[in-house]
Amino acid sequence: MTSTRIKLAIEAGYLFQKKGYNGVGLSEILRKAGVPKGSLYHHFPNGKADLALAAADLASAEVLRIINASFDGAADYRDGVTTFCHKLAKYFDIHEGNVGCPVSATLLGGQDDDAFRDALDSIFTGWMAQIAAHAVRFGQSETQANHSARRLFLSLEGSWTLARARRDSDIMRALPDLVC
Amino acid sequence: MTSTRIKLAIEAGYLFQKKGYNGVGLSEILRKAGVPKGSLYHHFPNGKADLALAAADLASAEVLRIINASFDGAADYRDGVTTFCHKLAKYFDIHEGNVGCPVSATLLGGQDDDAFRDALDSIFTGWMAQIAAHAVRFGQSETQANHSARRLFLSLEGSWTLARARRDSDIMRALPDLVC
Amino acid sequence: MTSTRIKLAIEAGYLFQKKGYNGVGLSEILRKAGVPKGSLYHHFPNGKADLALAAADLASAEVLRIINASFDGAADYRDGVTTFCHKLAKYFDIHEGNVGCPVSATLLGGQDDDAFRDALDSIFTGWMAQIAAHAVRFGQSETQANHSARRLFLSLEGSWTLARARRDSDIMRALPDLVC
Amino acid sequence: MTSTRIKLAIEAGYLFQKKGYNGVGLSEILRKAGVPKGSLYHHFPNGKADLALAAADLASAEVLRIINASFDGAADYRDGVTTFCHKLAKYFDIHEGNVGCPVSATLLGGQDDDAFRDALDSIFTGWMAQIAAHAVRFGQSETQANHSARRLFLSLEGSWTLARARRDSDIMRALPDLVC
DNA sequence: AATGAATGAGTCTTCATTCAT
DNA sequence: CATGAATGAAGACTCATTCAT
């Protein structure tokens, strides 16, 4: 049994990723999650903004999980990158080629809120730190590793955008050649 | 005397870039452009969508201009990349660190429209082609040049996002070290 | 205390009857009913169309009530018809000679919607069935009764139009001589 | 070569008949008639209202033409009625069962204008006079003829409405049995 | 803890008309 | 005569939120 709170955050995350923060109405989220109107403000006192932050947290955790799953059994750093990119490409395809980066679509989709940008910054920093840690584990120096992580992250973020414009995830699968 | 049509597209472009397609209301655009409500549909019969496409075209042309201005007087490819990234960083700073890529914020900001994605794809393709042409001019092979252009483009697109989360354009200025 | 829902349907019905579906704006209905804008879509999720269907149902029930009130105490069929026509004429006069048939003005006033026409058909069929039932009660055969009901209904519907053009309900009062 | 004025009146008449006066925008009429926006007020200084009156006149003339064509070669009055009703039913079918009486849909479709009701009254009076004249020609007394004409007219007007609700013109073809 | 009604500012768009060229 | 630009009020509808139950 999934709690109402989590059901809401999951559904919201999926919709924000597809249509952006301002492209989704609370009524749609509520309807698709099967949650009555009045319930939302019990679980998310600050309403839509709280919901977006929760959704971004959930999505971020999932990305971290994918990062670790990709690098843990890898032969070397490049092998980890390759697995990671293919996993994301597959994820993109499952969503019919019409989703953006789950956290930036949610937290930058038209909101000027400082709290959103702070949250986004720390999420991104966390991803890069995790990638860098794996790079170190595979023998890179601290400096090299940060460099590698940043290079991968930036290209990846760019790939979400280009892949969406093209409805084609190939660009993600081509990333290892570009950044390793 | 700037025509009503262009006044609207410019103002719309600026606002979309800041708040995304769904984050901006027509009333705000109209008010800031000093154009009465009924006039919009004369110049843009399909309304907001037409306006967004026009705004994206304008923004794209400006980016192409910056690309050429950066590479034309450059000593070598890397020098051109450096100038380009610094120009964009400056542009970002002028807008108070709170703007996204002008075309993707406009055309992906929460719209499912196929026409938007097609337009975005061809704009991106145009940018990469231009960059690649300069790389060829500086001695790279066709293959190398496409590789370089794609690497620059993806990282750049990612930088818009990260810079915005951090309210800091340094990441853009660091790009040459990452992609050259 | 009349519920918001019913207050809306009554006011809408009155206005549609006078100006037709497309001749009435929601804002006018809301204003005259003293109901705030946002409330409407609670009670009528499909908006104006739902409101029109509800208004037509209300009006239809009222007509059925008048039919029964006219025939129940009548001496014979023709006597019932006479009372019925005079009641409608009076109703027409009260509205200053400027209303159409309450259901056709509402449901045919410029709407292409299939649901509207289906609803209208079943309302009309209900009226004719009721009139025919009374005719049978007064001794007519099933066939004769259907014939009578149809003849009365069609002329009556035509009378709404002619009376309105003439601002004069006499044509309604003359109906018994025409159809009996 | 049809003049702009007539082209407009014809197209307007067709649209008003289908959607009512308030259900049709000038832009649609202009577009379908292939007439530029600014031209309308040259031919119809009072705009939409003038256009509706002209359209109703055209439609009325056509109905008179049909009346005469039906009765002129008829064997007796009832034969003329039958032909007339069948012609109208055919006309209704051609328009896909979704048109109202061409003049009342145009002039009562949600307009409170006195000029409209006066025009409508005189059009209806003209139709009845014409039918009555034919009835006299076939041997009816003046009084009988007026009675017959009124009976036919009212039922016919009612038939437009019922036929539309049912998307079925059979009711029109059944009229002779009802009114003769 | 949960909920459905209420709210009014907001959304994008179309309206019939006027006017300068 | 002809026309495209201009106009702002009005159109139907959705928004995120509050509140009494």
Side-chain angles (χ1 to χ4, degrees):
Chain A
M1 185 217 74
T2 317
S3 84
T4 294
R5 194 191 141 85
I6 297 205
K7 232 189 318 179
L8 278 171
I10 288 177
E11 194 58 53
Y14 175 61
L15 287 168
F16 286 149
Q17 189 177 3
K18 252 182 73 177
K19 314 201 208 175
Y21 183 82
N22 278 313
V24 186
L26 287 182
S27 58
E28 188 183 3
I29 298 172
L30 262 352
R31 183 168 19 90
K32 295 217 170 128
V35 167
K37 198 138 218 169
S39 283
L40 195 150
Y41 289 85
H42 282 286
H43 301 284
F44 301 95
N46 283 336
K48 197 181 185 183
D50 270 8
L51 190 48
L53 290 167
D57 274 348
L58 235 56
S60 172
E62 173 70 4
V63 170
L64 285 171
R65 212 189 48 74
I66 296 179
I67 290 174
N68 290 333
S70 303
F71 282 94
D72 276 346
D76 54 23
Y77 175 72
R78 192 196 154 104
D79 186 36
V81 169
T82 304
T83 306
F84 180 41
C85 291
H86 277 72
K87 278 181 190 289
L88 289 183
K90 193 170 164 191
Y91 175 85
F92 178 86
D93 292 339
I94 286 172
H95 291 73
E96 296 156 18
N98 196 16
V99 288
C101 160
V103 296
S104 61
T106 300
L107 297 177
L108 280 186
Q111 186 74 347
D112 198 4
D113 195 330
D114 272 348
F116 276 27
R117 295 163 82 188
D118 287 344
L120 189 58
D121 184 15
S122 81
I123 287 174
F124 283 161
T125 300
W127 293 0
M128 284 189 274
Q130 196 80 351
I131 294 169
H134 285 291
V136 165
R137 198 165 52 81
F138 282 117
Q140 296 190 18
S141 74
E142 198 81 36
T143 308
Q144 281 178 313
N146 286 334
H147 205 82
S148 295
R150 174 176 285 194
R151 187 147 53 184
L152 174 56
F153 168 77
L154 290 178
S155 305
L156 191 60
E157 202 62 31
S159 297
W160 280 112
T161 304
L162 185 56
R164 200 173 192 188
R166 298 194 166 163
R167 305 171 187 76
D168 183 347
S169 58
D170 278 356
I171 188 70
M172 289 176 171
R173 276 177 270 262
L175 275 188
D177 281 342
L178 246 55
V179 304
C180 287
Chain B
M1 187 216 74
T2 316
S3 83
T4 295
R5 196 193 140 86
I6 297 203
K7 237 189 314 180
L8 278 171
I10 289 177
E11 193 60 50
Y14 176 60
L15 287 167
F16 285 148
Q17 189 175 5
K18 254 181 73 177
K19 313 202 206 178
Y21 183 82
N22 278 314
V24 187
L26 287 181
S27 56
E28 188 183 4
I29 297 173
L30 263 352
R31 182 166 22 89
K32 294 218 171 129
V35 166
K37 196 142 221 167
S39 284
L40 197 155
Y41 289 85
H42 248 289
H43 303 283
F44 302 96
N46 284 337
K48 198 181 185 183
D50 269 8
L51 191 48
L53 290 167
D57 274 348
L58 235 55
S60 171
E62 172 70 4
V63 169
L64 284 171
R65 214 189 47 73
I66 296 178
I67 290 174
N68 291 333
S70 303
F71 283 94
D72 276 346
D76 54 22
Y77 176 72
R78 193 195 154 105
D79 186 36
V81 169
T82 305
T83 305
F84 180 42
C85 291
H86 278 72
K87 277 181 191 288
L88 288 184
K90 193 170 162 191
Y91 175 84
F92 179 85
D93 292 339
I94 287 173
H95 290 73
E96 298 156 17
N98 196 17
V99 288
C101 159
V103 296
S104 61
T106 299
L107 297 178
L108 280 186
Q111 186 75 348
D112 198 4
D113 194 330
D114 272 348
F116 276 29
R117 295 162 84 187
D118 287 343
L120 190 58
D121 184 15
S122 82
I123 286 174
F124 283 161
T125 299
W127 293 0
M128 285 189 273
Q130 197 80 352
I131 294 169
H134 285 291
V136 166
R137 197 165 52 80
F138 283 117
Q140 296 189 18
S141 74
E142 199 80 37
T143 308
Q144 282 177 312
N146 286 334
H147 206 81
S148 297
R150 176 177 283 195
R151 187 149 51 184
L152 174 56
F153 168 76
L154 291 178
S155 306
L156 192 60
E157 203 60 32
S159 297
W160 280 111
T161 304
L162 185 56
R164 199 172 193 189
R166 298 194 165 164
R167 306 171 187 75
D168 183 346
S169 58
D170 278 357
I171 188 70
M172 287 175 172
R173 274 177 273 262
L175 275 188
D177 280 344
L178 246 54
V179 304
C180 287
Chain C
M1 186 218 74
T2 316
S3 84
T4 295
R5 196 191 140 86
I6 296 204
K7 237 188 316 179
L8 278 171
I10 289 177
E11 194 59 52
Y14 176 61
L15 287 167
F16 285 149
Q17 190 177 3
K18 252 181 74 179
K19 313 203 207 177
Y21 183 83
N22 278 314
V24 187
L26 287 182
S27 57
E28 187 183 3
I29 298 173
L30 262 352
R31 182 167 21 89
K32 294 217 171 130
V35 167
K37 197 143 220 167
S39 286
L40 197 154
Y41 289 85
H42 248 290
H43 302 284
F44 302 96
N46 283 337
K48 198 181 185 183
D50 269 8
L51 191 49
L53 290 167
D57 274 348
L58 237 54
S60 171
E62 173 70 4
V63 169
L64 284 171
R65 213 189 47 74
I66 296 179
I67 290 174
N68 291 333
S70 303
F71 283 94
D72 276 345
D76 54 24
Y77 175 72
R78 191 194 155 107
D79 185 37
V81 170
T82 304
T83 305
F84 180 42
C85 292
H86 278 72
K87 277 181 190 288
L88 288 183
K90 192 170 163 191
Y91 175 86
F92 179 84
D93 292 338
I94 286 172
H95 290 73
E96 297 155 16
N98 196 18
V99 288
C101 160
V103 296
S104 61
T106 299
L107 297 178
L108 280 187
Q111 185 75 348
D112 199 4
D113 194 332
D114 272 348
F116 276 29
R117 295 163 83 187
D118 288 344
L120 190 58
D121 183 15
S122 80
I123 286 174
F124 284 161
T125 299
W127 293 1
M128 285 188 272
Q130 197 81 351
I131 294 169
H134 286 291
V136 165
R137 197 165 52 80
F138 283 117
Q140 296 189 20
S141 75
E142 198 80 37
T143 309
Q144 281 177 313
N146 285 334
H147 205 82
S148 296
R150 175 177 283 195
R151 187 149 50 183
L152 174 57
F153 168 77
L154 290 178
S155 306
L156 191 60
E157 203 60 32
S159 297
W160 279 112
T161 303
L162 185 56
R164 199 173 193 189
R166 299 192 165 165
R167 305 171 189 77
D168 183 346
S169 57
D170 278 356
I171 187 71
M172 288 175 172
R173 273 178 273 262
L175 275 188
D177 281 343
L178 247 53
V179 304
C180 286
Chain D
M1 185 217 75
T2 316
S3 84
T4 294
R5 194 191 141 86
I6 297 205
K7 232 189 319 179
L8 278 172
I10 289 177
E11 194 58 53
Y14 176 61
L15 288 168
F16 286 150
Q17 190 176 3
K18 252 181 72 178
K19 314 201 208 176
Y21 183 82
N22 278 313
V24 186
L26 286 182
S27 58
E28 187 184 2
I29 297 172
L30 264 350
R31 182 168 20 89
K32 294 215 171 131
V35 167
K37 199 140 218 168
S39 283
L40 195 151
Y41 289 85
H42 282 285
H43 301 284
F44 301 95
N46 283 336
K48 197 181 185 184
D50 270 8
L51 191 48
L53 290 167
D57 274 347
L58 235 55
S60 171
E62 173 70 4
V63 170
L64 285 171
R65 213 189 48 73
I66 297 179
I67 289 173
N68 291 333
S70 304
F71 283 94
D72 276 346
D76 53 23
Y77 176 72
R78 192 195 155 105
D79 186 37
V81 169
T82 305
T83 306
F84 181 41
C85 291
H86 277 73
K87 277 181 189 289
L88 289 183
K90 192 170 164 191
Y91 175 85
F92 179 85
D93 292 339
I94 287 172
H95 290 73
E96 295 156 17
N98 197 16
V99 288
C101 160
V103 295
S104 61
T106 300
L107 297 178
L108 280 186
Q111 185 74 346
D112 198 4
D113 195 328
D114 272 347
F116 276 28
R117 294 163 84 189
D118 288 344
L120 189 58
D121 184 15
S122 79
I123 286 174
F124 283 161
T125 299
W127 292 1
M128 285 188 274
Q130 197 80 351
I131 294 169
H134 285 290
V136 166
R137 197 166 53 81
F138 282 117
Q140 297 190 16
S141 75
E142 198 80 36
T143 309
Q144 280 178 315
N146 286 334
H147 205 83
S148 295
R150 176 177 284 194
R151 187 148 51 183
L152 174 57
F153 168 76
L154 290 178
S155 306
L156 192 60
E157 203 62 31
S159 297
W160 279 113
T161 304
L162 185 56
R164 200 173 192 188
R166 299 194 165 163
R167 305 171 188 76
D168 183 347
S169 58
D170 278 356
I171 188 70
M172 288 176 171
R173 275 177 270 262
L175 275 188
D177 281 343
L178 246 54
V179 303
C180 287

